[in-house]
Amino acid sequence: MFIIIEGPDGAGKTTLAKQLLRSHPNSKYLHFGCPANEQEALNYWRVYAKTLLQADSTKVTILDRSWYSGMVYGPIMRDRIEMEPETADILEQLVIKNGGGLVIYCTADVNILWKRCQERGENYIKTIDKLYSIADKYEEVLSNYCKLPVIKYDTSNNWKMCDKYGVD
């Protein structure tokens, strides 16, 4: 099974991934960054396809970002289309054929996201307006192009899962 964690910067994706790893220690965790250049961006779908095809069917594979991020960040932050809906559909079919999966969409109020980014010293997103655009684009992409089940996890008030679940 695949758990795909998505969401804007500061939404708690990596925090959630670490919590999932603690509760599922036999999982495989993969973090995907942005393509280094336009040529890599055009072929980045192959990285995802290889990952999906080579996944161990007996383990949960946690993807910290995926092709949905390319659909969001590519046009907003890098002025290029990095993932076409048709290619995203093929990757979703690979998820389904190779054990199934779901998307956990981490989000929060944009002002909170902005504050978290500022506190961490992130300088990739330079204005809160860009962050609003990213949040809006995620809503569009996951509503219109994602055919996998999506769980929306609002981290505005709950940055960390409670101790009751064995995580701090």
Side-chain angles (χ1 to χ4, degrees):
M1 170 158 181
F2 296 93
I3 299 174
I4 301 167
I5 304 173
E6 281 293 350
D9 288 64
K13 296 175 299 299
T14 303
T15 299
L16 176 61
K18 288 177 185 177
Q19 292 169 344
L20 289 170
L21 283 169
R22 277 187 244 147
S23 62
H24 296 85
N26 292 327
S27 314
K28 182 173 183 179
Y29 169 77
L30 299 166
H31 182 275
F32 293 94
C34 68
N37 55 51
E38 193 164 347
Q39 184 59 36
E40 187 176 88
L42 292 173
N43 292 295
Y44 214 56
W45 68 271
R46 294 174 195 265
V47 173
Y48 298 122
K50 183 177 177 183
T51 297
L52 298 172
L53 290 168
Q54 293 180 347
D56 183 341
S57 63
T58 65
K59 294 184 179 183
V60 172
T61 301
I62 300 167
L63 306 180
D64 187 343
R65 294 202 181 271
S66 73
W67 50 92
Y68 303 113
S69 289
M71 296 175 83
V72 172
Y73 281 83
I76 293 172
M77 298 301 292
R78 297 182 285 276
D79 295 320
R80 62 183 182 223
I81 302 297
E82 294 181 352
M83 184 63 58
E84 295 288 346
E86 297 81 12
T87 308
D89 188 56
I90 291 167
L91 293 169
E92 287 177 337
Q93 293 304 314
L94 287 175
V95 168
I96 293 165
K97 285 184 180 179
N98 291 293
L102 58 90
V103 175
I104 301 176
Y105 170 45
C106 295
T107 188
D109 178 89
V110 174
N111 292 305
I112 292 171
L113 297 174
W114 180 248
K115 181 180 176 190
R116 290 175 185 165
C117 289
Q118 298 302 297
E119 288 172 352
R120 293 192 316 205
E122 290 184 18
N123 60 3
Y124 180 61
I125 300 174
K126 303 210 184 293
T127 68
I128 194 170
D129 290 338
K130 282 283 187 188
L131 201 48
Y132 272 106
S133 296
I134 289 165
D136 289 345
K137 188 71 171 176
Y138 262 113
E139 292 288 337
E140 175 192 330
V141 165
L142 294 176
S143 295
N144 297 327
Y145 301 110
C146 182
K147 294 174 186 74
L148 298 172
V150 177
I151 298 170
K152 189 172 185 176
Y153 177 38
D154 188 331
T155 65
S156 294
N157 296 317
N158 188 13
W159 184 240
K160 295 183 178 185
M161 292 180 164
C162 65
D163 287 330
K164 171 178 150 181
Y165 297 103
V167 293
D168 52 349

